[in-house]
Amino acid sequence: MNRKIISSVMIGILLLFGGMVFLLSPWHQSGEEGSLAGLTDGNKSILEIKEPGKGNRPVKTFTLTAQDKKWVINDGKEVAAWTYNGKVPGEALRVTEGDVVRVKLKNDLNVPITIHWHGVLLPNKMDGIPGVTQNAVEPGDTFTYEFIANDAGTYWYHSHQQSSIQVDKGLYGSFVVEEKEKEYERDEVFILDEWAVDQERENLSNMGGMMMGAMSGDSEADTKQMYDTFTVNGKSGNAIKPMIMQAGEKARLRFINAGYQVHRLVFPEGSMRMLEADAEKVKSEDTKSNVLEIAPGERIDVEFTKPEEDAVVIGHEQGVDHADDMVIPVISTNDGKNGQQLAHATGNAAVKGTSYGSEKLIFNKTPNPDVTYDMDLSMGMDMGEGMSFQINNKTFPDTPPIKVKEGDIVKVTLRNEGRMNHPMHLHGHRFQVNAKDGKKLKQPVVKDLVHVKPGEEYEIYFKADNLGEWLFHCHDNNHAARGMVTVVDYEEVYSPFQLGGKEDNHPN
Ligand code: C2O
Ligand code: CU
């Protein structure tokens, strides 16, 4: 090698190293620590917000220990996972509506973590947001979450510390609040996810992928290429356990998308009817569509009726890499035949979380808002680190907060003029989607996540009825990590916690 080549190689290595250090530093995207406008003003700490009395409700107690675990996705596909109780997904939690839920989190990992109760309406200090509602739980420490499970439905829990890394490595599980009068005897949960098994094998870390993304300037495309395996409940392809059901038997199937990609599941024709989206019942008698589209972070429950054939599958829509990994066989007898080899049914038009109106609305007619906020979801270029994902041209924690007072009616218009999907999720509240692309919906939908695709605009309304500091962010956690997070900031209260700091509080 001549000198010139050597020196340019050296410069290359130096630049790479510099970039690494830059990416690894926790607040590279946003400058200062600890300064989110609005989090620090207000008279009362979020820790002093009065909670509803718990009376003599039944108390359901769980312990979740976060630990390292080699997780086998399928033969020869093994990942170094981070787990709650040694499993991916973590321990499945089930309670009954009205129960008090008490969960002791123990951290046996060597990084700080939290638990966020995705979709659960609970007191702010139980929301699990490091630097906003609590300090991250340090290695060796414990933290106890306690709240009333008021609303039956499908929820999930996941770490909210550096979510783009921690949820990706397996720190998530299902949380089901059953109705007192259960309608379905058969009731199953399926959590969908994607993994980067080969990268893991080649010992390329997340950081490597991010570096590549940063260098090519298209972080999403590169991040998605890293994912080479789809999973259902932590398993892929023929490692997924078949459901055994008899012809005509009905079951409630609860789907949760814990990944970054939209997943479309194809059911046998006429076998599926949507029941709930984001824990809200929808009005649908319709079994015409057999394709269910689930956005990242979203939960959708369906009623499934086993068709006459012995073996059928619920499988990922074709035309996507790794679709064959995501397949749930449904068989009548466990005679060794399973549905895996069956061709997937072909799909009709897909239904999704906003396809049907909600049974119970928050507002019967379009209300007059006290607060309006236009949320422009866009992409920006940050010198040296590839794409940033912005809200109103800023990245977290510099994004403008949604400032409210208790009792306000808030209208948010979400607009996506970019090229990527943004599943936007609000903590601590449910909102009503009243209009899409400027047109009033005939059937408004109540949710806590709205999937805003390129070119789309949604008008949503909610009641500021849960004092606190609540995140509103993109549930593609890679976008959140790169800035697409803001806060619903109640004037009355402040957060006594700090972003960054010695606890390394890192909520996105
Ligand atoms: Cu699954 Cu901030 O949430
Ligand atoms: Cu996004």
Side-chain angles (χ1 to χ4, degrees):
M1 261 197 266
N2 71 34
R3 260 246 176 77
K4 229 164 160 187
I5 296 178
I6 293 177
S7 64
S8 53
V9 166
M10 287 283 288
I11 288 172
I13 290 172
L14 273 174
L15 280 175
L16 208 72
F17 186 69
M20 264 310 205
V21 169
F22 189 57
L23 279 168
L24 284 165
S25 71
W27 292 103
H28 66 273
Q29 291 145 346
S30 42
E32 266 137 302
E33 307 198 332
S35 58
L36 183 66
L39 280 189
T40 48
D41 47 18
N43 297 322
K44 191 159 67 174
S45 158
I46 60 148
L47 300 178
E48 291 154 15
I49 298 170
K50 212 170 146 272
E51 274 183 75
K54 299 201 170 107
N56 49 7
R57 299 160 178 274
V59 180
K60 302 284 165 70
T61 308
F62 305 93
T63 300
L64 293 175
T65 304
Q67 51 198 216
D68 266 311
K69 172 93 189 199
K70 286 234 171 330
W71 182 255
V72 179
I73 287 176
N74 198 338
D75 276 349
K77 284 198 173 197
E78 200 180 79
V79 288
W82 288 349
T83 67
Y84 293 112
N85 291 359
K87 302 177 229 204
V88 180
E91 192 80 49
L93 307 183
R94 265 185 195 260
V95 301
T96 305
E97 58 186 333
D99 285 350
V100 172
V101 183
R102 186 177 296 152
V103 179
K104 183 167 159 198
L105 167 64
K106 186 164 181 305
N107 185 6
D108 283 354
L109 291 169
N110 56 15
V111 293
I113 56 169
T114 65
I115 296 180
H116 166 61
W117 304 93
H118 180 118
V120 181
L121 304 173
L122 42 56
N124 194 220
K125 66 179 179 190
M126 293 295 138
D127 201 41
I129 311 306
V132 181
T133 68
Q134 68 173 101
N135 281 321
V137 182
E138 299 299 314
D141 281 358
T142 62
F143 187 92
T144 300
Y145 294 91
E146 189 172 310
F147 53 88
I148 302 170
N150 278 313
D151 314 288
T154 302
Y155 302 89
W156 58 302
Y157 66 90
H158 60 78
S159 182
H160 221 295
Q161 165 81 358
Q162 296 197 303
S163 324
S164 64
I165 296 166
Q166 299 198 352
V167 179
D168 210 42
K169 284 183 73 84
L171 284 176
Y172 63 78
S174 61
F175 175 61
V176 170
V177 182
E178 290 181 349
E179 287 158 337
K180 282 198 177 117
E181 315 275 311
K182 280 175 62 166
E183 207 185 320
Y184 296 87
E185 220 175 289
R186 188 73 189 263
D187 183 326
E188 312 262 351
V189 181
F190 299 96
I191 309 193
L192 316 178
D193 197 8
E194 312 97 31
W195 290 80
V197 178
D198 286 330
Q199 272 78 3
E200 182 98 21
R201 209 180 274 140
E202 286 161 27
N203 224 354
L204 267 178
S205 64
N206 255 329
M207 280 298 153
M210 277 171 66
M211 281 291 294
M212 276 154 37
M215 286 188 298
S216 72
D218 187 354
S219 53
E220 183 156 275
D222 282 323
T223 330
K224 288 198 170 154
Q225 267 163 25
M226 290 170 43
Y227 296 103
D228 49 43
T229 305
F230 287 177
T231 56
V232 178
N233 291 340
K235 299 283 176 184
S236 89
N238 58 13
I240 298 168
K241 216 170 79 209
M243 275 197 292
I244 300 181
M245 288 178 72
Q246 304 316 313
E249 192 183 340
K250 287 186 189 306
R252 176 182 190 138
L253 310 184
R254 305 169 186 260
F255 293 95
I256 300 166
N257 187 346
Y260 297 127
Q261 301 185 28
V262 177
H263 292 295
R264 283 177 160 220
L265 298 180
V266 184
F267 292 71
E269 300 239 14
S271 69
M272 182 268 287
R273 175 170 77 91
M274 201 190 290
L275 297 175
E276 287 186 8
D278 293 351
E280 291 285 338
K281 288 197 172 63
V282 298
K283 292 186 275 190
S284 163
E285 290 307 317
D286 185 10
T287 56
K288 271 206 291 297
S289 179
N290 65 328
V291 184
L292 182 66
E293 178 178 303
I294 312 164
E298 196 171 39
R299 301 102 66 198
I300 299 183
D301 295 15
V302 304
E303 177 193 84
F304 171 71
T305 310
K306 169 77 171 31
E308 291 298 322
E309 298 94 309
D310 267 2
V312 296
V313 295
I314 299 167
H316 200 287
E317 188 175 69
Q318 293 297 305
V320 180
D321 286 347
H322 325 300
D324 291 337
D325 291 350
M326 200 173 265
V327 54
I328 305 161
V330 190
I331 56 182
S332 294
T333 45
N334 201 3
D335 58 359
K337 241 196 305 164
N338 73 29
Q340 246 108 20
Q341 282 79 9
L342 293 175
H344 295 186
T346 48
N348 300 319
V351 289
K352 54 182 182 175
T354 48
S355 293
Y356 302 105
S358 297
E359 261 180 26
K360 265 211 314 264
L361 297 181
I362 309 171
F363 307 102
N364 286 319
K365 53 179 208 285
T366 307
N368 260 334
D370 302 297
V371 175
T372 58
Y373 184 99
D374 287 331
M375 187 184 283
D376 171 23
L377 305 169
S378 57
M379 248 174 345
M381 190 56 109
D382 263 339
M383 286 307 292
E385 54 164 315
M387 288 299 176
S388 67
F389 289 86
Q390 302 173 322
I391 291 177
N392 297 346
N393 299 312
K394 293 276 202 278
T395 54
F396 183 78
D398 301 323
T399 41
I402 304 174
K403 290 194 159 286
V404 303
K405 291 189 302 304
E406 194 170 24
D408 279 349
I409 291 170
V410 187
K411 174 187 183 188
V412 181
T413 305
L414 303 102
R415 190 174 301 114
N416 180 1
E417 274 156 16
R419 290 176 294 122
M420 291 177 193
N421 293 328
H422 300 303
M424 299 301 296
H425 170 54
L426 171 61
H427 290 204
H429 304 74
R430 297 212 180 123
F431 51 71
Q432 183 166 315
V433 184
N434 263 16
K436 184 188 175 203
D437 302 333
K439 279 217 327 259
K440 241 171 131 172
L441 296 185
K442 271 192 228 93
Q443 305 253 39
V445 194
V446 178
K447 294 192 91 246
D448 53 54
L449 182 149
V450 62
H451 192 204
V452 192
K453 294 183 181 174
E456 289 184 344
E457 181 191 287
Y458 287 91
E459 281 167 33
I460 64 166
Y461 292 81
F462 67 92
K463 224 195 233 136
D465 57 3
N466 195 2
L467 273 179
E469 305 288 353
W470 301 98
L471 295 201
F472 197 158
H473 67 92
C474 182
H475 220 290
D476 178 325
N477 292 326
N478 285 310
H479 297 182
R482 290 167 168 267
M484 199 168 265
V485 179
T486 189
V487 169
V488 173
D489 166 36
Y490 281 72
E491 200 173 85
E492 296 90 336
V493 294
Y494 68 89
S495 162
F497 303 103
Q498 290 241 313
L499 302 175
K502 70 173 185 332
E503 292 85 6
D504 190 24
N505 290 324
H506 198 126
N508 50 340

